[in-house]
Amino acid sequence: MTASSAAPELILHNGRIATQDERRSFAEAAAIRDGRFLAVSADRDVLALRGPGTRVIDLGGRTVIPGLNDSHLHVIRGGLNYNLELRWDGVPSLADGLRMLREQAARTPAPQWVRVVGGWSEFQFAEKRLPTLDELNEAAPDTPVFVLHLYCQAMLNRAALRAVGYDKDTPNPPGGEIRRDKHGNPTGLLIARPNATILYATLAKGPKLPLEYQYNSTRQFMRELNRLGLTSVIDAGGGYQNYPEDYQVIDELHQRGELTLRIAYNLFTQKPQQEKDDFARWIKMAKPGQGDDVFRLNGAGEMLVFSAADFEDFLEPRPDLPARLETDLEAVVSLLAANRWPFRLHATYDESITRFLDVFEKVNQAHPLDGLHWFLDHAETISDRNIERVRALGGGIAVQHRMAFQGEYFAARYGHAATAATPPVARMLRTGVPVGAGTDATRVANYNPWDSLYWLVSGRTVGGFELYPEENRLSRMEALRLYTVGSAWFSTETGKKGSIVPGQLADLAVLTEDYFTVPEERIKRIQSVLTVLGGKVVHAAGDFDDYAPPPLPVTPDWSPASYFGGYGAPKFYAQASNFSAHPSGCLCPAHRPHSVGCQCPAHGFNATSVLARLLNPAKAPADAVLRAAPAGGFFGLGCDCFAF
C-alpha cells in the first residue's frame, strides 16, 4: 500500500468535536478513510496524515457531534408522503398555519388534498388553540383538507367530507366517532375513542403520490432530516405499511446508492388476530441483520399484537386492554424469541407494561431473551419495579418527546405532580437499562431532534409548560448520548456508530451553534451546516455551501415541500420580511423566551383551546392553572368529556 492510498480522504479540523467516547472528550480534528474514522485528535496530529488527494475542511471553530440517531421515527411511511403534506411543525402561530393552508389549497390540483398530518400542538401557537372547522372551510372552500391533531382527532372541511363520502347515513366505526350537528350531518370532526383507527382509515382514503414522485418524496424527507443533523433512524413500521410491498421505494433507493440516512427497520403486523401469521411469514422471508450498514432489517414491532395497543390519547381515559392480550402476545413473542428475532413493543402505561412483562418473563423460561436487544417504546408511566424487570430480562427502553406535545393534557387528567417523571428517564439511566432517544415522528410528534433534546434538558413542552423537576432532567451531554451511543444499542450496533472514534462509521454533524453552551431556549433552533454520512457530505449550508450535494427539485411542483420547506417552514418565513430580517436568537416579542407562568396573552387560556374548554379556568395563565392541578387531575372532578 502506498502512502497516498493510506492517506485519509477527508480531514475536518479547527473544530470542537464532542467525540462521545467513554471519557466524553473533545478533539480538534478528525480524519476519515473508507467510510470510517481513521484518526481523531489535535489539529497538528491529524493534519500530518493528509495526502495529495485529501480534502481538508476548516470547521471555523464550530461544534461537531456524532450524527444523530433517532431510535423511533416512521421514516419509511413519512418519506412516501412527505411531498404531499403541509407541515405545521415548528410554526409559531395558527394565523401563519392557516395562511400556509390557504396558499396551498389554491395551488393543489384536483383530486389531491391538503394534509396537515400531525407533528404539531395547539400549545406551540401564540393563539394557544386549534383551528376551527369554519376557518378550514373559509381557507379552502373547494379543496379537501385533512388536519390531524396527535392521536386524538382529525378535522375535515366540507370538501374532504364529500371526498371520503361521510354523510348522515355513515355509521360510527368501531373505536371512533364522527361528530354530528343537530340534524345528524357530519361536522368534519373525527374523534379517536379509544384508538386512532378512524383517523388513519380516513387519511388512507386520500390520493397517493405516483410511484415516481414517491422516490423524490423519500429523498426530500431524508435531506430534511440531514438538515437537522440526523444520519441514522430506526424505523418503527406503521399501520398500512405492508412488507414487502411498501418497502419497494426505500429498497430501490438503497440499491441506487441514494439513501442519505442509515435505516434499520422493524416490521409492524398489519392484520388483527392474524399477527402470528404475519410474523411466521416474514421469518421465512428474511432475518434480522439482513442488509448492510445503510439499510437493514432490525426485527419486529412496534405493533406485535393489536390487543396490546395502549394508544396514548391523554384526553381520553387509559384504555382497558382485552383479556386475550396475554394469549396473543405469548404466541407472537415465543415465535420471535425462538427464532432470535429482536422485537420492540409500543407501551405507554405501567398497567399495560406489567402485563407485557408477565408474558415476557414466561417466554424467557423457554426462550431466553437476554442478548436479543428487545425493548419497550415510550414507557411514559413505567414504575421503578417494571424498570428493574426490563433490566433483568436484558431489555431496553426507547423514549420519545411525546410529552412535549401532550404534557398539558396529561397534567389536566392526572395532576401536575404526576408529570414529574413521565417518563422517568433519569431513573432508567441510574438503573442501568439501555435507553435511546427519538421522536415518534411524524404524526404524534415532530421529527426535529433538537426539540426532543430541548425536552430532555429543560423538562418543558413545546408550549413552554414545565413538566419535570431538576432530578428528572438530563445534562446536555447525557441527553446527547441517548441520541448517539444510546440509540446504537437498539439496532445492535454498539461500537459501530454513535461516537467519533477511530474505527467507527464516519457520521457527524457540524452545528449552527454550540449545543453545550447556547442558551437553553435556543437548543430548539440548532441545525446542521454540514452533515457527513460514511465520509460523504449529504448536507451543507452557510459557510459550507460549496460542499453541498447537487440540488434535488421537489416533485410534483405544487408540493408543499417546494413552497414552505420542512420543519419551521423556512421557505415561507424567508419570503416574509418581518421574519427574515430577524437574526438568530433575537429578542423581539415574537422570539424571546417567556418565563414559566408569565401573564402574557400567549400563555393565558384561549376560549377555543381544547384544554381551556376542559378546565374552564377563570382568566388564569395556562401554566399556573396546570401547576395547581390536583392529584388525579381536573378530570377527577367528574368531567370525563372530550370537549371542543
Side-chain angles (χ1 to χ4, degrees):
M1 181 181 292
T2 65
S4 61
S5 65
E9 297 150 2
L10 175 65
I11 288 177
L12 306 165
H13 72 103
N14 187 26
R16 184 170 185 255
I17 301 175
T19 66
Q20 292 292 288
D21 64 9
E22 290 301 320
R23 296 181 295 114
R24 279 66 162 173
S25 64
F26 286 82
E28 295 176 324
I32 297 169
R33 186 178 68 212
D34 297 330
R36 294 179 180 268
F37 292 111
L38 175 66
V40 181
S41 188
D43 280 344
R44 178 182 57 191
D45 298 331
V46 174
L47 287 170
L49 301 174
R50 75 180 140 188
T54 302
R55 172 186 278 185
V56 179
I57 298 178
D58 186 339
L59 298 173
R62 291 188 180 273
T63 296
V64 183
I65 62 170
L68 296 175
N69 182 354
D70 189 318
S71 57
H72 188 129
L73 198 159
H74 299 272
V75 66
I76 296 174
R77 180 183 66 193
L80 296 176
N81 295 288
Y82 180 74
N83 284 4
L84 275 180
E85 296 176 356
L86 173 65
R87 305 223 63 83
W88 283 353
D89 313 38
V91 172
S93 78
L94 177 58
D96 288 345
L98 289 170
R99 177 182 160 195
M100 293 164 62
L101 191 153
R102 185 179 298 109
E103 291 181 7
Q104 185 58 39
R107 71 171 64 95
T108 299
Q112 290 290 346
W113 302 1
V114 177
R115 314 166 200 227
V116 181
V117 187
W120 58 280
S121 162
E122 63 173 311
F123 304 108
Q124 78 190 42
F125 295 141
E127 299 89 341
K128 301 296 178 186
R129 68 172 178 88
L130 302 174
T132 67
L133 291 168
D134 285 344
E135 287 171 327
L136 298 186
N137 284 310
E138 185 278 329
D142 302 311
T143 304
V145 170
F146 178 99
V147 177
L148 177 70
H149 180 238
L150 306 175
Y151 274 154
C152 62
Q153 66 172 313
M155 291 162 276
L156 283 67
N157 69 349
R158 284 187 288 267
L161 285 174
R162 291 192 297 270
V164 300
Y166 292 170
D167 58 27
K168 67 188 305 179
D169 298 320
T170 305
N172 286 335
E177 178 186 345
I178 301 172
R179 183 60 60 88
R180 303 169 194 274
D181 63 20
K182 62 183 180 181
H183 303 294
N185 296 308
T187 63
L189 190 61
L190 307 181
I191 301 170
R193 186 182 289 128
N195 61 57
T197 301
I198 185 176
L199 310 182
Y200 296 150
T202 303
L203 179 60
K205 293 176 181 289
K208 293 184 177 181
L209 283 173
L211 185 62
E212 63 270 24
Y213 291 165
Q214 292 179 25
Y215 289 106
N216 181 273
S217 180
T218 298
R219 293 185 67 192
Q220 297 290 348
F221 189 35
M222 289 190 292
R223 286 191 172 205
E224 166 71 355
L225 297 175
N226 296 150
R227 177 175 75 94
L228 298 170
L230 280 160
T231 57
S232 289
V233 166
I234 306 177
D235 183 86
Y240 300 93
Q241 185 174 325
N242 293 284
Y243 182 83
E245 297 88 347
D246 292 321
Y247 291 72
Q248 174 186 348
V249 169
I250 199 75
D251 186 60
E252 176 65 23
L253 290 174
H254 174 237
Q255 297 301 321
R256 296 180 191 173
E258 293 178 345
L259 295 188
T260 59
L261 286 172
R262 302 187 192 278
I263 300 173
Y265 59 94
N266 288 75
L267 300 184
F268 183 115
T269 185
Q270 299 294 316
K271 299 174 182 176
Q273 300 185 49
Q274 298 179 50
E275 299 95 339
K276 185 177 178 181
D277 294 339
D278 273 345
F279 290 113
R281 184 173 69 257
W282 293 333
I283 285 170
K284 294 177 182 178
M285 295 171 60
K287 61 180 180 180
Q290 179 177 304
D292 55 28
D293 290 336
V294 176
F295 185 62
R296 58 195 290 271
L297 175 60
N298 195 51
E302 66 178 297
M303 182 75 81
L304 298 180
V305 294
F306 283 85
S307 55
D310 66 340
F311 287 108
E312 74 305 330
D313 178 357
F314 298 136
L315 285 166
E316 289 288 312
R318 175 180 59 82
D320 291 322
L321 301 181
R324 71 172 189 276
L325 181 162
E326 282 79 3
T327 300
D328 294 349
L329 189 59
E330 182 181 350
V332 168
V333 173
S334 294
L335 175 68
L336 296 171
N339 286 275
R340 302 305 291 170
W341 266 57
F343 61 87
R344 65 193 304 166
L345 180 60
H346 173 110
T348 300
Y349 298 98
D350 190 60
E351 293 85 351
S352 309
I353 292 169
T354 295
R355 295 176 66 182
F356 301 160
L357 292 174
D358 289 345
V359 172
F360 296 168
E361 287 169 346
K362 183 177 180 181
V363 171
N364 185 62
Q365 295 175 11
H367 308 289
L369 301 181
D370 193 31
L372 198 56
H373 287 243
W374 70 271
F375 57 97
L376 299 177
D377 280 301
H378 318 311
E380 275 85 2
T381 70
I382 191 171
S383 62
D384 290 355
R385 176 176 178 270
N386 280 338
I387 293 172
E388 287 285 357
R389 295 173 74 192
V390 171
R391 185 192 61 78
L393 289 170
I397 303 173
V399 298
Q400 301 81 35
H401 68 323
R402 303 190 311 177
M403 283 291 288
F405 293 81
Q406 298 197 63
E408 289 88 348
Y409 299 149
F410 189 93
R413 177 168 289 282
Y414 299 108
H416 184 235
T419 71
T422 308
V425 181
R427 287 210 301 270
M428 295 173 189
L429 292 171
R430 287 195 297 269
T431 304
V433 172
V435 181
T439 59
D440 199 5
T442 58
R443 296 178 176 178
V444 75
N446 69 39
Y447 51 74
N448 188 346
W450 301 102
D451 273 1
S452 183
L453 285 162
Y454 169 80
W455 164 73
L456 287 166
V457 169
S458 72
R460 298 181 189 275
T461 68
V462 294
F465 176 60
E466 183 177 311
L467 295 168
Y468 310 134
E470 188 68 31
E471 56 265 28
N472 198 44
R473 302 176 196 169
L474 303 186
S475 71
R476 299 189 191 197
M477 183 66 78
E478 285 178 310
L480 182 61
R481 286 186 73 78
L482 299 194
Y483 252 102
T484 53
V485 175
S487 286
W489 184 92
F490 293 79
S491 55
T492 322
E493 294 177 290
T494 300
K496 180 181 285 188
K497 64 183 180 183
S499 301
I500 301 177
V501 297
Q504 289 207 19
L505 294 169
D507 304 341
L508 60 84
V510 183
L511 306 182
T512 51
E513 299 186 81
D514 182 9
Y515 162 72
F516 297 99
T517 62
V518 72
E520 198 170 76
E521 286 296 317
R522 278 175 36 195
I523 291 175
K524 295 181 289 187
R525 302 176 66 184
I526 291 175
Q527 300 176 24
S528 174
V529 290
L530 185 72
T531 306
V532 174
L533 180 79
K536 297 180 180 180
V537 174
V538 293
H539 166 76
D543 294 342
F544 302 92
D545 194 54
D546 289 344
Y547 303 106
L552 181 65
V554 178
T555 56
D557 58 7
W558 53 264
S559 166
S562 180
Y563 288 88
F564 303 117
Y567 176 87
K571 295 181 181 180
F572 174 74
Y573 288 111
Q575 298 171 15
S577 59
N578 60 325
F579 280 87
S580 60
H582 294 205
S584 176
C586 75
L587 294 177
C588 72
H591 292 144
R592 67 169 176 260
H594 294 201
S595 61
V596 176
C598 76
Q599 301 291 326
C600 73
H603 285 124
F605 277 111
N606 186 291
T608 53
S609 163
V610 169
L611 190 62
R613 294 188 180 190
L614 289 171
L615 304 184
N616 194 26
K619 297 182 180 179
D623 291 351
V625 173
L626 287 173
R627 286 200 308 277
F634 293 94
F635 297 88
L637 302 178
C639 172
D640 198 22
C641 64
F642 196 111
F644 297 91

